[in-house]
Amino acid sequence: MDHELERTLVALEEIASGERKLRAVRHPLGFLCLPLLREDPRGICVHLFEAGDRAEPGASPLHAHSWELRSRVLYGRVANLPVRVHAPGDGEGGATHRVFEVHSGSDGVDEIRPTPLLVRSELGPARVTSRGETYALAAGEFHATALEGPEPAATLVHGLSVPGQVDLSLGPVDGRARRTTRRLCDTELTVRSVHAVLRRIHAEQRAA
């Protein structure tokens, strides 16, 4: 077992046993987030994807982080969809999206503010990443991430903030400012979810 996975398993075991107090966060895009480390400029978390997950109404899956991302799939399969964004040119039919800035507060509220920037977006071919594989994204790179197939998946995400960058999303051309909330899960759901993660990781290791 490599050191990165070993450290992750130790952290998850501490949460499962109650030794470490941590509550999962329900992200507006539908997945659960376990924030293992928040230490500017670095962050480490585990993202949990289930087939029944649903994003909040109006939440755009097309977004760009203000931080560099490295994501390792712990189990399951995850599809990352690149999005090319450019100013609309002559004969292209105009803009498809407005760029929004996302400002996240410590209270879990995200302020999503429209900018004057109108763009056209083009979806690239999805890159599917499976257990043990890693993908990386630069800060400011638009993309969408989704579960691939019916089986659950989990990713270990490392983030490194980049000075001067802002979290962005693509929304309707006529979209207005709005708010979304990253809701804290209760301890029971958090512990139950972590136990499920550990069972799946150990099952993958036994099958390898």
Side-chain angles (χ1 to χ4, degrees), residues 73-195:
V73 178
L74 299 175
Y75 59 81
R77 303 171 76 221
V78 174
N80 188 62
L81 185 69
V83 182
R84 178 174 174 265
V85 172
H86 64 280
D90 293 339
E92 286 191 307
T96 58
H97 292 90
R98 183 179 297 277
V99 176
F100 289 73
E101 291 187 353
V102 182
H103 297 270
S104 300
S106 58
D107 58 356
V109 175
D110 294 338
E111 299 278 355
I112 303 173
R113 304 169 187 169
T115 74
L117 184 58
L118 297 176
V119 298
R120 284 190 68 82
S121 65
E122 298 175 2
L123 304 182
R127 176 188 173 188
V128 178
T129 308
S130 302
R131 181 181 68 88
E133 298 176 340
T134 299
Y135 67 88
L137 291 168
E141 186 173 349
F142 279 97
H143 67 285
T145 303
L147 181 67
E148 178 71 10
E151 296 301 318
T155 58
L156 176 63
V157 180
H158 290 252
L160 181 65
S161 294
V162 176
Q165 291 281 349
V166 179
D167 290 325
L168 302 172
S169 70
L170 298 182
V173 169
D174 59 353
R176 299 181 179 183
R178 62 187 184 87
R179 292 181 176 183
T180 60
T181 303
R182 289 166 281 125
R183 302 186 304 276
L184 278 177
C185 300
D186 60 28
T187 301
E188 181 182 357
L189 175 58
T190 300
V191 171
R192 187 166 67 246
S193 299
V194 171
H195 276 296

Side-chain angles (χ1 to χ4, degrees), residues 42-89:
R42 296 188 308 128
I44 300 174
C45 52
V46 172
H47 289 173
L48 312 180
F49 301 87
E50 297 278 351
D53 289 343
R54 293 290 181 270
E56 289 186 6
S60 172
L62 309 180
H63 61 281
H65 300 293
S66 61
W67 35 277
E68 297 174 353
L69 175 149
R70 178 170 64 86
S71 186
R72 172 179 175 171
V73 178
L74 299 175
Y75 59 81
R77 303 171 76 221
V78 174
N80 188 62
L81 185 69
V83 182
R84 178 174 174 265
V85 172
H86 64 280

